[in-house]
Amino acid sequence: GTTIEDINLDGGSIVLQGDIVTSATGDTDADVDFDGAVVIDGAISITTDVSGGTADDGKIDFSSTINPEGSGTDSLTLNSGAGTITLGGVIGGGTALDALTIDATALTISNNITTADGLIDINAPVTLTGTNLVVSSGTGTGNVDFSSTISGNKDLDILSGTGNVIISGDIGGTALTSLDINQSAGTG
């Protein structure tokens, strides 16, 4: 990938075919902002976790949809270190991603997330801002794993087919309106 300090991508369709790694120095942040629909083409990683400390770790913001190109190998890994991540649009709405992994100090989810029987691995405290949210790994063996807290005065459905639902943190720092877990295996 290419190492840059701060990027803001605008457009009707933004196609990602390679990794993005940011760096920052002193008074700059390592932020990545997407202001348009994003298409994932391949196994893509976006990292704003700056080595050598957390002061310059950047945020990652998606204001619109994220969908795969459709080749069957389209996954997304987001790592913001001490930065935050905001998912403003539907993830995998038109066609589902193969897998999604998120590592951050805070994650805001505003819309549905869907994978095609692939892993959804969220390693961040989650705040829900959209209504009637669905996080689904499809009908197959994909696990849905929340390793931290989930809060927000919203409805949340977690669907994992024959995969596991694993929730390691507290639910409802700000109480959820409702929580529905549909799985046929594992713990929840």
Side-chain angles (χ1 to χ4, degrees):
T2 302
T3 302
I4 51 181
E5 283 190 6
D6 185 43
I7 61 173
N8 187 344
L9 298 171
D10 295 310
S13 180
I14 301 164
V15 179
L16 299 180
Q17 295 178 318
D19 296 341
I20 297 174
V21 178
T22 60
S23 67
T25 56
D27 60 350
T28 63
D29 291 324
D31 297 341
V32 178
D33 295 301
F34 295 94
D35 296 321
V38 174
V39 175
I40 302 299
D41 186 358
I44 303 299
S45 175
I46 300 172
T47 301
T48 60
D49 184 7
V50 177
S51 62
T54 60
D56 295 320
D57 289 355
K59 64 181 175 63
I60 302 171
D61 289 337
F62 290 90
S63 66
S64 190
T65 59
I66 302 172
N67 285 299
E69 173 268 334
S71 65
T73 59
D74 303 321
S75 62
L76 180 60
T77 299
L78 304 174
N79 182 354
S80 66
T84 62
I85 296 176
T86 301
L87 302 176
V90 174
I91 312 296
T95 303
L97 288 173
D98 292 310
L100 176 66
T101 300
I102 296 173
D103 293 291
T105 58
L107 170 64
T108 300
I109 300 175
S110 299
N111 273 291
N112 298 341
I113 298 172
T114 306
T115 62
D117 303 330
L119 173 68
I120 298 174
D121 187 12
I122 298 176
N123 302 296
V126 173
T127 301
L128 306 174
T129 61
T131 56
N132 302 317
L133 295 171
V134 176
V135 175
S136 173
S137 63
T139 58
T141 60
N143 292 339
V144 178
D145 187 351
F146 287 91
S147 66
S148 190
T149 59
I150 304 171
S151 66
N153 187 18
K154 306 296 178 186
D155 299 329
L156 176 61
D157 290 345
I158 303 172
L159 314 173
S160 68
T162 59
N164 296 315
V165 171
I166 303 160
I167 301 172
S168 303
D170 294 335
I171 298 173
T174 299
L176 302 183
T177 306
S178 70
L179 174 64
D180 185 20
I181 299 174
N182 291 306
Q183 65 176 27
S184 55
T187 58

